[in-house]
Amino acid sequence: MSDLLTKCTVCLALLDEEDLFCANCGTEAPCQGTEQDRQATYLATHNFECEGCGASMSYDASAQALRCPFCGSERLNEQANQKMLRPHWVVPFAIEESDALARLRQWLGSTYWRPGDLARTAEVTKLTKVYVPYWVFAGRVFTYWTADTSEKPFGASGDWAPLSGQNQSNYSGLLVGASSVLTPVETSAICPYELSAGVSPDKVDLENVVYEQFRVQRKYARPLAHEGLMDLERNACRQYVPGNCRNLRVNVRVEGLTGEPVLLPVWIMAYRYRDQVHRFLVNGQTGQCTGTAPTSYAKIAGVIGLVIAVIIATIVCMGLMGLMVGR
Amino acid sequence: MKSEIRNLKSEIAVPDIQWVDVPVVDAEVAAPSGKPCEACATPVEPLDRFCPACGTVNPDFPAKIPLARPESEDRSVPDRSTAPRGAGKPHDRGPPEPSDSPLTKHLECKTCGAEVATDPNQRSYVCPFCDSTYVVEVPAGQSGRQRPEFVIGFAVTPEQAQEKFRAWLAENTWYRPGDLAAASIADKMKGIYLPFWSFSMLAQSQWQAQIGEHWYRTEHYTTCDAKGNVQHHTRRVQETEWWPLSGRHHRYYSGYLVSGSRGLPQDQSLRIQPFNLPALKRYEPYFLAGWLAEEYSVGRDEALKLCHEEFHRQEQRNIAAFLPGDTHSGLAVETDFSHEGSDLCLLPIYILSYRYQDKVYRFLINGQTGRFAGDKPISGTRIGIAVGVALGLIALIVVVVWILSSMR
């Protein structure tokens, strides 16, 4: 029943499920769930913190001009060497820069409503390879479900009959973003990743790439993991319903949810357009894109104006036609 | 004027509990971040005193909450005498001190009824919720209110908040009244902690119901009109087939908020929610130094009683939504509640209220996530000009058409 709110027995502060100590008073938390291994760490050099967006990252040692990949700012402060959480796996890049650029162009060009000076005022072409931290959650769920099935008992006059039941399953490999800059909406929009392609961090040269550091505690990802598990469970319960199914509803309780740190590959392009930060992200493994881009109000106004002008012209023409017919 | 105030007061006297069912985490803003622990590299937030993974002391702990003043050493006073005192006491704890709040001046707004605790050295005072100056000082602690249990500290600095406001006000300036001076208004922005009761409860239910599945049959029928002609018709008739169904339902209601605020109406505060609730920290008086804090207007017992009823209703509603079929009847639910808890939380918002032509406008910023919302006065004359120009154009076209068509 790890779903419940746990509190420190001494000071009553809130505890996360995987906390071993109270963050407020330092009391050791009563053994919660399974014994956890001490987190593996390593020393990260070339650490930078962005003044613009607060991102903490480790930078490519060979990079010449430093530019924050998350917000495009150039005000980066070098930080001292730091111990970092060691990711359990790193998924390497499978999408080349040219491919990512092509996808970016396609995505940017797909909409008419972009300001015309976007390409000029914003540095649109700078895509950066970044490893972004994620949590991989695993947990058990216990579910009650209800649904309507088309396999109705003999003699039924309608098309559907209701069913209810329960299910228990174990899940692993549920991804939730752990970035302190990208929002959960952004990090989930570029999922899924094929985690089986992940390799040990020793096999990836983390000295010479840009990666964001783990700065967000697991507790913020946990509620989002719950939602993800609910979607998975909805698919799992479908198997219990014979025939066609409608109104499938699941009521999920999650137990023993644990998260592991991983680094996943993302191509990021960040730019400022009129003091607003916009970002474009490409999944470095599958090529899935997401992003925000400015909308040109001038263009919208132009189109509305054009439509009005056309309407007016039609009215005038009709007036003229009426005039001619009248003659 | 007096009677109006009395009317307001009598309306306020009825405790109106308002329920907030919002996500526990805001998916549209990045989560709060912390520095890696020196020993084990787990992220530690600036307001955490110890690393949650290895218990190492956080060297940055006397953290800079924006505007906070340095406080005395004595922090951490759990005020619940029922709190179990564990064996390994990490700190010496004094007895509960009820008067350790840095905010000892209590003021009540006579216009909107909000009661706000503020710095004792603050001289002039304007109600942050309604921009009224009709504010009186009331003796502190007269009602024996309890200390809050949890608080989310301000993460947005006052400068950032003011900048946000200015940027927001600068949008679509043409429709604003010309005499709306932004500069003088922005200074009125106040950071204030709003009181919320947070309830959590585990509900486990068994339910039984009749599930109705619609089906349709075609019916033939005949009618006779006045002349005696017989006409044949068909029509589709909806029938409902009923099936008994039973099952279970469980839900942990946690972080369910009840607004204890009198100054800020619920619909207003909902516009800047959700807060990232996992960031709740144990309340310490130093959080409030330099800020305002509103006092709650509904007591715990009262709120808890109403909360029970509300959770019963919620569970009933959730089960009704959980049922399959097209309709249902005779839903019977038996619910066990356990793991009940209620906590008083203070959540940070920036509020800016200003009066323009006797109307109160508000601008709100979520002090944790930076989400903002607000209303701006719209200049009637300028809108009028725009509408007038548009109408004039249309009239011109009509006249042109008319002239053209009359030129025969």
Side-chain angles (χ1 to χ4, degrees):
Chain A
M1 201 137 64
S2 51
D3 210 1
L4 297 177
L5 210 68
T6 26
K7 287 187 180 176
C8 171
T9 48
V10 177
C11 70
L12 298 174
L14 291 177
L15 295 183
D16 184 57
E17 280 170 43
E18 287 178 74
D19 281 355
L20 299 177
F21 293 87
C22 169
N24 186 45
C25 68
T27 311
E28 202 164 334
C31 188
Q32 304 186 41
T34 51
E35 195 60 44
Q36 197 184 7
D37 340 332
R38 183 59 50 99
Q39 303 272 13
T41 60
Y42 67 99
L43 199 68
T45 51
H46 306 292
N47 300 315
F48 290 90
E49 195 166 85
C50 172
E51 261 182 52
C53 65
S56 303
M57 63 212 114
S58 289
Y59 238 101
D60 182 351
S62 63
Q64 293 296 312
L66 295 183
R67 201 162 160 275
C68 173
F70 297 100
C71 70
S73 158
E74 282 171 5
R75 290 172 303 153
L76 294 176
N77 297 330
E78 184 152 11
Q79 306 272 303
N81 290 356
Q82 271 170 349
K83 249 190 199 173
M84 294 308 311
L85 269 192
R86 184 188 167 83
H88 290 193
W89 307 291
V90 180
V91 174
F93 275 87
I95 297 271
E96 292 303 311
E97 181 162 17
S98 53
D99 193 1
L101 260 178
R103 282 168 200 273
L104 165 64
R105 291 233 174 76
Q106 198 187 354
W107 179 80
L108 262 185
S110 63
T111 316
Y112 168 75
W113 309 112
R114 308 262 177 264
D117 59 342
L118 179 60
R120 253 185 303 116
T121 39
E123 281 185 275
V124 176
T125 48
K126 276 200 179 169
L127 270 167
T128 322
K129 239 179 174 179
V130 183
Y131 283 102
V132 173
Y134 275 74
W135 299 111
V136 182
F137 278 102
R140 299 182 297 280
V141 292
F142 189 77
T143 308
Y144 296 120
W145 58 266
T146 66
D148 287 327
T149 171
S150 63
E151 305 249 309
K152 52 207 187 284
F154 181 72
S157 15
D159 296 332
W160 301 98
L163 283 179
S164 69
Q166 57 190 49
N167 178 45
Q168 231 168 334
S169 23
N170 284 312
Y171 288 104
S172 58
L174 181 76
L175 287 175
V176 181
S179 171
S180 60
V181 197
L182 304 179
T183 66
V185 168
E186 283 176 307
T187 48
S188 65
I190 53 169
C191 282
Y193 279 91
E194 190 56 57
L195 284 177
S196 55
V199 295
S200 142
D202 303 327
K203 296 197 179 138
V204 179
D205 184 12
L206 287 179
E207 284 283 303
N208 291 314
V209 289
V210 184
Y211 63 94
E212 194 197 339
Q213 298 169 349
F214 281 91
R215 290 297 177 96
V216 174
Q217 291 184 9
R218 226 166 297 208
K219 58 185 178 184
Y220 298 104
R222 221 175 274 278
L224 301 168
H226 273 232
E227 286 171 29
L229 287 176
M230 212 152 113
D231 291 339
L232 290 173
E233 194 58 8
R234 200 166 286 127
N235 291 332
C237 288
R238 175 66 186 82
Q239 57 164 336
Y240 293 110
V241 187
N244 287 333
C245 162
R246 63 165 196 177
N247 294 339
L248 178 63
R249 279 155 196 161
V250 289
N251 171 226
V252 177
R253 209 158 90 212
V254 181
E255 292 177 8
L257 192 64
T258 53
E260 286 179 292
V262 293
L263 286 178
L264 300 181
V266 182
W267 284 101
I268 302 184
M269 185 195 69
Y271 57 93
R272 279 168 184 276
Y273 182 78
R274 301 206 175 146
D275 282 346
Q276 283 274 340
V277 176
H278 295 279
R279 262 193 297 262
F280 170 74
L281 309 171
V282 186
N283 180 324
Q285 191 186 28
T286 65
Q288 170 105 4
C289 306
T290 183
T292 57
T295 319
S296 164
Y297 291 107
K299 279 194 182 177
I300 290 179
V303 167
I304 290 173
L306 200 71
V307 168
I308 290 173
V310 166
I311 291 170
I312 289 168
T314 325
I315 292 170
V316 169
C317 282
M318 272 158 67
L320 284 173
M321 295 265 282
L323 191 71
M324 259 124 84
V325 170
R327 269 179 195 169
Chain B
M1 186 69 193
K2 257 232 153 110
S3 65
E4 189 188 305
I5 287 160
R6 202 168 297 131
N7 278 342
L8 273 168
K9 288 290 271 186
S10 63
E11 273 170 32
I12 289 157
V14 184
D16 56 325
I17 290 238
Q18 293 157 317
W19 300 87
V20 192
D21 192 6
V22 289
V24 181
V25 163
D26 192 340
E28 282 167 34
V29 296
S33 66
K35 278 195 170 171
C37 164
E38 286 176 351
C40 73
T42 303
V44 180
E45 291 176 15
L47 294 173
D48 284 341
R49 208 169 306 192
F50 296 92
C51 168
C54 70
T56 309
V57 176
N58 177 9
D60 296 334
F61 172 63
K64 285 178 209 135
I65 323 169
L67 270 190
R69 283 174 294 154
E71 270 282 305
S72 60
E73 279 305 295
D74 178 41
R75 297 180 175 128
S76 163
V77 186
D79 67 331
R80 281 195 178 173
S81 47
T82 52
R85 297 287 159 84
K89 268 194 197 172
H91 293 297
D92 289 331
R93 289 165 195 287
E97 290 169 48
S99 62
D100 57 351
S101 165
L103 310 179
T104 47
K105 197 162 160 182
H106 287 237
L107 299 153
E108 191 184 308
C109 172
K110 290 287 178 193
T111 311
C112 71
E115 190 178 332
V116 171
T118 180
D119 268 336
N121 49 5
Q122 190 157 359
R123 295 274 171 78
S124 65
Y125 191 75
V126 187
C127 174
F129 297 106
C130 64
D131 199 29
S132 145
T133 46
Y134 195 32
V135 167
V136 294
E137 189 168 349
V138 292
Q142 62 173 12
S143 48
R145 285 194 174 98
Q146 65 197 75
R147 274 171 50 129
E149 277 121 348
F150 293 101
V151 58
I152 291 178
F154 274 92
V156 177
T157 62
E159 293 77 37
Q160 290 167 336
Q162 294 214 353
E163 200 173 301
K164 268 200 172 149
F165 173 69
R166 290 216 175 86
W168 171 79
L169 200 70
E171 289 168 12
N172 296 335
T173 33
W174 198 82
Y175 291 110
R176 308 281 146 249
D179 55 344
L180 182 69
S184 62
I185 292 173
D187 295 337
K188 285 188 177 177
M189 175 138 359
K190 294 261 166 60
I192 184 158
Y193 283 104
L194 287 191
F196 281 87
W197 290 103
S198 154
F199 290 103
S200 50
M201 221 169 259
L202 175 67
Q204 289 172 298
S205 312
Q206 279 191 302
W207 53 264
Q208 271 184 317
Q210 294 288 323
I211 307 294
E213 305 279 3
H214 293 329
W215 60 284
Y216 300 91
R217 68 186 161 82
T218 348
E219 197 179 62
H220 299 278
Y221 65 103
T222 52
T223 51
C224 255
D225 60 13
K227 290 172 187 162
N229 298 327
V230 177
Q231 285 178 321
H232 294 277
H233 303 273
T234 54
R235 66 180 166 203
R236 216 160 152 250
V237 182
Q238 180 183 297
E239 298 272 350
T240 308
E241 193 174 25
W242 294 96
W243 304 90
L245 192 70
S246 64
R248 289 164 170 275
H249 186 270
H250 50 198
R251 174 153 176 201
Y252 186 52
Y253 296 90
S254 75
Y256 213 86
L257 298 177
V258 171
S259 167
S261 169
R262 191 177 276 189
L264 194 64
Q266 185 80 352
D267 55 335
Q268 295 275 322
S269 73
L270 272 176
R271 295 168 71 183
I272 51 158
Q273 296 210 14
F275 288 86
N276 280 333
L277 289 181
L280 283 171
K281 301 281 180 248
R282 192 88 180 115
Y283 169 80
E284 304 289 353
Y286 67 83
F287 275 102
L288 301 193
W291 303 95
L292 305 173
E294 197 194 348
E295 299 288 351
Y296 60 88
S297 56
V298 182
R300 182 194 295 270
D301 295 341
E302 198 178 351
L304 193 64
K305 211 177 87 195
L306 288 163
C307 163
H308 261 276
E309 294 164 17
E310 173 66 15
F311 279 140
H312 264 288
R313 266 198 301 275
Q314 283 283 338
E315 184 71 3
Q316 196 98 12
R317 209 175 306 149
N318 285 335
I319 290 172
F322 178 59
L323 295 178
D326 297 306
T327 179
H328 64 86
S329 74
L331 174 64
V333 179
E334 241 177 82
T335 310
D336 270 338
F337 286 107
S338 55
H339 298 85
E340 294 174 14
S342 65
D343 301 300
L344 180 58
C345 307
L346 293 179
L347 303 182
I349 66 152
Y350 283 100
I351 183 162
L352 190 148
S353 304
Y354 54 95
R355 273 169 196 274
Y356 183 78
Q357 292 178 347
D358 279 346
K359 209 165 168 274
V360 178
Y361 294 92
R362 286 204 184 96
F363 177 73
L364 305 168
I365 303 179
N366 184 321
Q368 183 195 27
T369 64
R371 198 184 263 265
F372 62 89
D375 305 308
K376 298 187 245 200
I378 289 170
S379 164
T381 49
R382 292 198 179 181
I383 294 281
I385 291 171
V387 170
V389 166
L391 282 178
L393 270 176
I394 291 169
L396 195 73
I397 291 157
V398 170
V399 165
V400 166
V401 170
W402 182 72
I403 289 173
L404 278 173
S405 57
S406 61
M407 269 196 332
R408 43 180 80 187

